[in-house]
Amino acid sequence: MIKVSLAKGDGIGPEIMNATLNILSAAGADLVFEEIEVGEKVYLTGNSTGISDEAWQSIRKNKVLLKAPITTPQGGGYKSLNVTMRKTLGLYSNVRPCRSLHPFVTTKHPDMDVVIIRENEEDLYAGIEHQQTDEVVQCLKLISRPGCEKIVTYAFEYAKKYGRKKVTCFTKDNIMKQTDGLFHQVFDEVASRYPDIINEHWIVDIGSALLADSPEDFDVIVMPNLYGDVVSDIAAQITGSVGLAGSANIGQECAMFEAIHGSAPDIAGKNTANPSGLINGAVMMLNHIGQSDVAEKIQNAWLRTIEDGVHTNDIYDPIMSTKRVGTKEFAQAVIANLGNRPKQLPEVSFEDNTPLILPKYQRRPSKDKKVVGVDLFVDWNGDDANELAEKLQKLNNDELELSMITNRGIKVWPNGFNETFCTDHWRCRYSVKEEGKELSKGKIVEILQAAMDHDIDAIKTENLYTFDGIRGYSLGQGQ
């Protein structure tokens, strides 16, 4: 018997969780649940994370969490519990299957069967933000090689395990050449180790457009965190409803399973919510813990129920549906179908019941890292970049000199355009005078001291490095 931590959540969470638990029990799942309290009630006790130490202990001990949607109170500095749990527990891989149920659930894409695999720990979701001037706030986009290698390898191993033929990568590396460029680079490196699986890369905007237009052309799609969050919801919706999709969050030690939708407090307590997303999340959990026979039984019974036209309000259609039911009644219909298989929809067969857990990441040898300059960020409310450059050139020293000024990433000095709109946030680049020579870091301190002496408001610095002689920083647009 497997012990699982259980969070019933907020809003419709308790209703859909109870429906799911009834199905798991009727199907003979060999589970015992340890209920924990997370979400709105915990937030409102003054705990800004939404989770207690006791709940953390339960999850870390049991290694598996089945979680219903939760509500994060508005305002008050409350943190997203989903993001906190994924990052704290190292749940680096978010897996979201999106499969059409045509003709029983209305969709424009009857042949869609796509799995979105989303990096789950970093990117802009690191949540590192600062207001730096009156007019500009910053959010740091963090992409790491370990993060890229883990998620891309997981995507190819997933494709291999489940007989998928192609893995596609979405990034925006035509613009973010360092961060998204690293993700794309690692994708190409990992793809070369799987010659039997087709690989391709799309820029995320056109890739998303193609997915929305012709999802049958895709199989497994892997991408960084933010894109994955957006695209997975779009993919789930175009199959027929976000309410049908389950989600697995997989890490080296722990795993969390859930529906992808929110807590929908407006319909809480009305017995109208569709429990399908959480049911499908529970099916993924059963596969993860090696109870694939039960997972197969529940998934096929759920498919048969959808096929029978027994539908909740969100997917009810007068033409294809035979009966409009509530949350409890839908669960009862699935239970009645345990042991039955769909007649028209493809039935599922989960033969391999071993969880997909990859070896721990092994760090590579460090590269030769040299500092070759510094970007000094300045708060200045003037408009003329030439005037600012004149002030900043007074900071030059025997190793560093001002080489460029950008505003919101656009080069405005030297040779800037008068038409370029500038805010009060300026990136001022000081480069080594002798190309190829490594900078003494003390010279960066001299620049900062000189800025103070000349009453220039330096708000932050970023050192400029090369790694094995390769530039590790972006140029200004227009340079």
Side-chain angles (χ1 to χ4, degrees):
M1 183 171 287
I2 303 293
K3 197 169 189 179
V4 173
S5 299
L6 178 80
K8 290 191 173 181
D10 305 310
I12 61 172
E15 298 169 74
I16 63 173
M17 180 61 81
N18 288 335
T20 301
L21 294 177
N22 288 338
I23 293 169
L24 288 169
S25 177
D30 192 15
L31 301 170
V32 59
F33 292 101
E34 182 173 87
E35 188 169 350
I36 60 175
E37 187 75 60
V38 300
E40 189 171 34
K41 290 180 182 177
V42 180
Y43 282 120
L44 296 179
T45 65
N47 185 330
S48 65
T49 64
I51 183 170
S52 67
D53 290 341
E54 293 76 19
W56 278 127
Q57 290 170 11
S58 172
I59 299 167
R60 296 177 69 196
K61 177 183 66 178
N62 296 326
K63 306 297 184 185
V64 178
L65 170 65
L66 180 62
K67 184 182 75 66
I70 63 164
T71 298
T72 303
Q74 296 297 309
Y78 297 109
K79 301 176 182 177
S80 166
L81 178 57
N82 280 341
V83 173
T84 297
M85 295 178 81
R86 290 166 181 163
K87 294 171 64 176
T88 304
L89 296 170
L91 308 179
Y92 67 88
S93 179
N94 185 282
V95 183
R96 296 187 176 184
C98 301
R99 175 184 169 195
S100 296
L101 301 169
H102 176 79
F104 306 102
V105 176
T106 303
T107 176
K108 297 177 182 177
H109 304 288
D111 298 321
M112 181 175 178
D113 184 5
V114 175
V115 178
I116 307 295
I117 296 184
R118 160 193 171 194
E119 198 286 320
N120 224 13
E121 296 181 285
E122 48 189 39
D123 193 10
L124 291 166
Y125 282 34
I128 303 173
E129 297 182 291
H130 304 90
Q131 179 163 359
Q132 298 187 321
T133 69
D134 283 344
E135 297 178 343
V136 176
V137 293
Q138 167 188 275
C139 181
L140 290 180
K141 180 182 175 81
L142 298 177
I143 300 289
S144 71
R145 174 168 279 277
C148 296
E149 287 196 12
K150 288 193 296 182
I151 194 63
V152 173
T153 303
Y154 190 95
F156 277 94
E157 285 294 322
Y158 183 97
K160 181 180 176 182
K161 179 180 175 68
Y162 293 106
R164 298 276 176 164
K165 305 300 183 185
K166 181 169 70 172
V167 178
T168 304
C169 175
F170 284 0
T171 72
K172 190 66 176 173
D173 67 333
N174 59 328
I175 303 298
M176 287 166 281
K177 299 180 186 298
Q178 295 291 319
T179 50
D180 283 29
L182 176 61
F183 197 98
H184 187 179
Q185 176 188 337
V186 170
F187 176 80
D188 288 343
E189 292 172 4
V190 173
S192 68
R193 304 201 295 263
Y194 296 85
D196 295 333
I197 299 174
I198 300 168
N199 71 85
E200 64 179 7
H201 171 269
W202 289 99
I203 299 300
V204 65
D205 41 15
I206 185 60
S208 299
L210 293 172
L211 174 66
D213 181 68
S214 305
E216 64 276 5
D217 293 339
F218 294 90
D219 199 346
V220 175
I221 308 177
V222 63
M223 63 194 90
N225 202 339
L226 176 61
Y227 309 145
D229 193 6
V230 175
V231 172
S232 59
D233 274 19
I234 294 171
Q237 183 62 28
I238 64 177
T239 64
S241 172
V242 169
L244 301 176
S247 171
N249 301 270
I250 309 297
Q252 188 70 42
E253 301 289 338
C254 300
M256 176 174 71
F257 302 88
E258 58 188 348
I260 74 170
H261 57 74
S263 59
D266 55 318
I267 61 170
K270 297 181 180 179
N271 192 42
T272 60
N274 188 342
S276 293
L278 192 56
I279 293 169
N280 285 320
V283 167
M284 299 173 80
M285 177 189 73
L286 290 168
N287 274 321
H288 178 77
I289 63 177
Q291 297 187 26
S292 295
D293 53 340
V294 184
E296 185 177 310
K297 185 192 298 185
I298 292 174
Q299 184 88 77
N300 283 318
W302 177 78
L303 288 168
R304 179 63 177 269
T305 304
I306 295 293
E307 202 175 73
D308 288 345
V310 180
H311 296 163
T312 48
N313 188 61
D314 59 319
I315 60 171
Y316 182 84
D317 179 272
I319 298 174
M320 292 307 304
S321 303
T322 61
K323 190 176 182 181
R324 190 196 304 262
V325 296
T327 310
K328 295 177 182 177
E329 294 75 23
F330 183 83
Q332 291 166 359
V334 173
I335 291 170
N337 270 323
L338 290 170
N340 295 331
R341 296 178 177 273
K343 294 180 179 179
Q344 291 181 247
L345 294 170
E347 65 179 74
V348 298
S349 177
F350 301 129
E351 295 178 356
D352 185 354
N353 63 1
T354 57
L356 180 52
I357 299 177
L358 305 184
K360 287 188 176 181
Y361 176 81
Q362 299 295 319
R363 280 192 167 84
R364 299 183 175 194
S366 297
K367 295 180 179 178
D368 180 24
K369 176 182 174 183
K370 292 182 178 179
V371 59
V372 295
V374 63
D375 279 344
L376 182 72
F377 290 80
V378 169
D379 182 349
W380 185 68
N381 59 9
D383 295 317
D384 186 353
N386 292 314
E387 180 185 348
L388 178 60
E390 187 174 335
K391 294 175 180 290
L392 292 168
Q393 285 173 319
K394 296 176 182 178
L395 278 55
N396 292 351
N397 56 43
D398 59 329
E399 291 190 25
L400 286 169
E401 63 183 356
L402 183 70
S403 60
M404 177 181 69
I405 302 174
T406 69
N407 195 288
R408 295 187 296 170
I410 299 295
K411 189 181 75 166
V412 294
W413 183 89
N415 305 318
F417 291 178
N418 292 333
E419 294 85 351
T420 304
F421 176 79
C422 295
T423 69
D424 57 3
H425 186 276
W426 308 79
R427 178 180 64 164
C428 312
R429 175 160 294 173
Y430 289 84
S431 304
V432 290
K433 292 181 177 179
E434 186 178 337
E435 187 174 350
K437 181 179 179 182
E438 184 171 10
L439 174 67
S440 304
K441 284 190 177 179
K443 297 299 177 180
I444 296 174
V445 178
E446 285 186 19
I447 292 283
L448 288 169
Q449 182 61 56
M452 292 177 61
D453 294 342
H454 288 84
D455 199 26
I456 292 171
D457 186 7
I459 54 179
K460 65 169 286 189
T461 61
E462 288 286 349
N463 293 353
L464 308 179
Y465 293 102
T466 60
F467 295 83
D468 287 348
I470 298 174
R471 175 174 50 82
Y473 51 91
S474 63
L475 301 174
Q477 294 182 31
Q479 185 173 4

